[in-house]
Amino acid sequence: MKMELGSDDVVSILDYFADLEDPRSSINRKHLLGDLIVICIMAVIAGADGPRSIGIWAASNVGWLKRYLAWPGGVPSHDTIGRLLATLKPNYFQQCFQKWIESLREDASAEEDRPEIIAIDGKTVRRSHDSKKGLGAMHLVSAWAVRGGISLGQLATEEKSNEITAIPEPLEQINVQKSIVTIDAAGCQKEVAASIMDGGGDYVLALKGNQGTLHAYVRDYIVQHMENDFADVTARKFEENLKGHGRTETLVYYQLSLPKDLPGKTKWKGLQTIGVAIRMSEKNGHHTSDVRYYISSLKPNVKQFAAAVRGHWGMENTLHWCLDMTFREDDSCVRNRLATDNLAWLKRFAITLIKQQPSKESIAMRRRMAGWNVDYLAQVVGLKRI
């Protein structure tokens, strides 16, 4: 089985999983680990959402799969798939995708001179709770390359409150060099800022109550100067109007140089500017507004600041919305924690591969096309027949 990465550069997808430790018992082991993983990847892209549907998809495409896989054990049952997903260690599983992901990032960066925007944010898998074991819904912290449309990694936590301690770990696993990392208020931490700067990137961090004094100062400082139209300080402004899904939005951004008396400013590595983003929306006559304040290592460049903020909002609209509406992640009733984590990663990786396809169709339509047409699915995954 082959994956085409360039005009002449063809490598086996199975090579990406060559170092993955097989967690299964060696007794009665019929199926190759690589075969099972590739089946999971393709089935999820084609519309499967759990072990049972992955098994049914494999049984429905036996003839086609035999063209690419060794297939020594025949069609794997959904129990086989379920046991595998429930025993694979998520961090090692994701690491095997890193070279694949890096190849996609290289292709995306070759076409784009601007810095990549890496958004880090959390999402709760709402029906993943297990009342019998006293477990609440699983919360996943994801890293998303906004412009490339690439999922870079994820980390599962038991509660949303644990997102604060979870954020540094995904940062250690991804390359942030020459990128702008955006994180919501949970990630507004001095250690996070230092880690991003040490990795050769820049940061745009949202402020809220967890940074009480800093948040209050930035808010009051900007509001005070906004009242006299920034007559006493230099402020850069950028405004844009967006339309889509029946909604119209006006976004206004202000970026200011660092105030001299900003509390604790020396403790934030690389800190250079502060900013505010004001979003005013209208849909069906209903008006809403949202105001968020930020600290950043970016130099004064309000359009770049605006792109970073908008990119983070885009993660919510592109990745999280797609996971909910197209991949029905919140409807998943898989209770095993490892299986939930691994399935969530497969869905994020599926979105990554689907988004690389040059098409005007929506993600939902491209996923349907992959389910209807195995030749299109092969194109999405990058298969090339031997």
Side-chain angles (χ1 to χ4, degrees):
M1 182 172 56
K2 303 291 184 179
M3 176 177 180
E4 188 172 359
L5 297 179
S7 58
D8 300 312
D9 185 13
V10 179
V11 298
S12 171
I13 290 178
L14 294 174
D15 288 347
Y16 292 110
F17 307 101
D19 297 329
L20 181 61
E21 181 180 347
D22 195 331
R24 300 174 297 163
S25 169
S26 59
I27 301 174
N28 295 325
R29 186 187 294 175
K30 299 179 181 179
H31 306 281
L32 298 178
L33 178 63
D35 284 3
L36 295 178
I37 291 175
V38 172
I39 286 171
C40 288
I41 294 170
M42 293 192 291
V44 168
I45 292 172
D49 56 5
R52 187 170 183 275
S53 54
I54 292 173
I56 292 174
W57 179 87
S60 302
N61 291 278
V62 173
W64 182 73
L65 287 169
K66 282 183 176 179
R67 302 176 190 176
Y68 302 102
L69 303 177
W71 207 258
V75 181
S77 69
H78 70 271
D79 287 331
T80 297
I81 298 295
R83 284 193 296 269
L84 175 65
L85 293 174
T87 52
L88 279 172
K89 295 181 179 179
N91 55 334
Y92 295 128
F93 187 41
Q94 291 181 43
Q95 286 174 16
C96 291
F97 288 84
Q98 290 307 310
K99 290 183 181 179
W100 197 344
I101 287 172
E102 284 302 318
S103 70
L104 296 174
R105 289 191 70 188
E106 289 171 6
D107 291 344
S109 63
E111 301 173 1
E112 182 64 76
D113 293 332
R114 295 175 297 171
E116 178 59 272
I117 297 169
I118 298 175
I120 297 179
D121 203 355
K123 179 184 181 297
T124 300
V125 185
R126 300 193 182 282
R127 296 187 66 184
S128 60
H129 60 276
D130 191 336
S131 300
K132 292 182 179 180
K133 295 182 179 180
L135 297 174
M138 180 177 285
H139 191 72
L140 296 169
V141 178
S142 301
W144 176 253
V146 175
R147 288 179 173 146
I150 298 171
S151 187
L152 303 178
Q154 73 180 29
L155 182 69
T157 70
E158 288 300 333
E159 297 178 10
K160 184 174 182 179
S161 59
N162 293 333
E163 184 176 337
I164 294 175
T165 57
I167 286 173
E169 189 167 329
L171 275 174
E172 295 174 0
Q173 300 173 1
I174 61 179
N175 179 11
V176 301
Q177 189 172 15
K178 297 181 181 179
S179 299
I180 302 172
V181 181
T182 69
I183 313 178
D184 66 9
C188 189
Q189 307 168 46
K190 300 177 183 68
E191 296 79 7
V192 168
S195 176
I196 294 168
M197 295 300 295
D198 291 342
D202 280 298
Y203 60 81
V204 175
L205 306 179
L207 290 169
K208 274 190 179 178
N210 65 323
Q211 292 292 340
T213 302
L214 182 60
H215 173 248
Y217 180 93
V218 171
R219 178 197 61 207
D220 294 345
Y221 182 87
I222 292 177
V223 170
Q224 174 189 344
H225 288 288
M226 190 180 294
E227 289 175 349
N228 68 350
D229 200 23
F230 300 100
D232 301 322
V233 297
T234 300
R236 292 161 178 83
K237 179 184 178 182
F238 180 66
E239 183 173 332
E240 54 188 345
N241 297 290
L242 306 176
K243 291 183 179 181
H245 303 290
R247 182 192 304 272
T248 60
E249 291 188 327
T250 299
L251 301 122
V252 183
Y253 309 88
Y254 292 96
Q255 187 187 37
L256 295 81
S257 298
L258 205 62
K260 294 181 179 179
D261 55 350
L262 183 74
K265 66 178 182 180
T266 58
K267 298 179 180 179
W268 294 88
K269 189 168 185 176
L271 182 58
Q272 294 200 66
T273 52
I274 61 174
V276 61
I278 305 167
R279 179 165 60 174
M280 295 166 284
S281 303
E282 187 274 327
K283 185 174 183 179
N284 299 327
H286 181 62
H287 296 265
T288 59
S289 62
D290 183 28
V291 181
R292 302 188 189 184
Y293 298 91
Y294 300 85
I295 59 172
S296 173
S297 65
L298 294 177
K299 296 178 180 179
N301 183 333
V302 70
K303 288 187 177 181
Q304 189 179 58
F305 167 68
V309 172
R310 186 174 63 252
H312 193 94
W313 283 336
M315 180 185 186
E316 299 171 6
N317 297 332
T318 302
L319 179 62
H320 292 172
W321 188 89
C322 188
L323 286 167
D324 286 340
M325 304 305 295
T326 303
F327 286 76
R328 312 301 298 181
E329 183 170 77
D330 279 349
D331 293 339
S332 175
C333 293
V334 176
R335 295 291 181 260
N336 181 276
R337 285 325 215 199
L338 294 182
T340 298
D341 197 346
N342 287 323
L343 278 168
W345 171 250
L346 285 171
K347 291 174 182 178
R348 284 155 177 76
F349 189 68
I351 293 174
T352 294
L353 292 180
I354 292 171
K355 283 187 68 66
Q356 306 313 305
Q357 294 304 303
S359 173
K360 294 182 180 179
E361 302 294 346
S362 67
I363 298 297
M365 182 56 69
R366 279 180 255 179
R367 193 186 189 205
R368 292 191 189 101
M369 290 165 60
W372 296 331
N373 186 334
V374 289
D375 291 331
Y376 181 74
L377 174 61
Q379 178 182 325
V380 171
V381 180
L383 295 181
K384 185 175 181 180
R385 289 187 62 180
I386 299 175

